[in-house]
Amino acid sequence: MAEAKSEDYWRDKLTPQEYAICRGKGTEPAFSGKYWDCKEQGVYHCKCCGQALFLSTSKYDSGSGWPSFFQPAEADAVQEARDISHGMIRTEVMCERCGAHLGHVFEDGPQPTGLRYCINSASIDLQDN
């Protein structure tokens, strides 16, 4: 992981919503984010550090109201951690480079992986590359 940035750095760089999600491990409401129903082609990058995280070719409509992907762009682009907040047991997904909270991964996705990376729109940025 890259050198840690200060909270002031992140507050200056991100909008209040992006900060609450990426640095505070928040969640945007379902069906409210910029990318939940986006069908544009490209690469989804980390809003905080620019790391390539997910390809549009692995995006699918999970019906959850959040952008969903069946795999990351590269296996080591994200890191996972056990999340026991809100009375649930889940697997949190974070950017490997800067530690930004992206969302969660569940084992109810499509083949070929059977995974559903459920990602907050505020934590990613779609680029044409």
Side-chain angles (χ1 to χ4, degrees):
M1 194 177 328
E3 177 185 339
K5 307 280 187 194
S6 72
E7 291 307 304
D8 287 339
Y9 172 86
W10 293 122
R11 279 190 196 91
D12 288 343
K13 178 176 174 59
L14 303 170
T15 68
Q17 181 192 34
E18 292 166 352
Y19 180 83
I21 291 170
C22 296
R23 309 320 301 180
K25 300 182 185 286
T27 301
E28 64 200 9
F31 304 101
S32 71
K34 179 178 180 178
Y35 298 120
W36 77 269
D37 64 346
C38 178
K39 304 214 180 345
E40 294 177 38
Q41 297 298 302
V43 178
Y44 290 87
H45 293 258
C46 177
K47 179 66 80 169
C48 295
C49 72
Q51 167 87 356
L53 298 172
F54 299 96
L55 305 178
S56 60
T57 53
S58 69
K59 188 175 186 289
Y60 70 100
D61 182 1
S62 68
S64 68
W66 288 277
S68 298
F69 305 85
F70 59 79
Q71 67 187 18
E74 299 289 335
D76 61 355
V78 299
Q79 59 180 315
E80 298 178 3
R82 182 181 166 132
D83 177 359
I84 58 170
S85 65
H86 307 291
M88 297 179 272
I89 299 174
R90 303 176 290 176
T91 302
E92 178 186 8
V93 179
M94 297 155 291
C95 174
E96 188 282 327
R97 184 186 290 166
C98 72
H101 171 76
L102 304 172
H104 293 87
V105 62
F106 303 95
E107 296 180 350
D108 61 0
Q111 292 306 315
T113 65
L115 299 174
R116 172 174 53 102
Y117 288 85
C118 193
I119 305 300
N120 291 289
S121 291
S123 69
I124 54 178
D125 185 34
L126 178 60
Q127 298 177 17
D128 290 341
N129 52 353

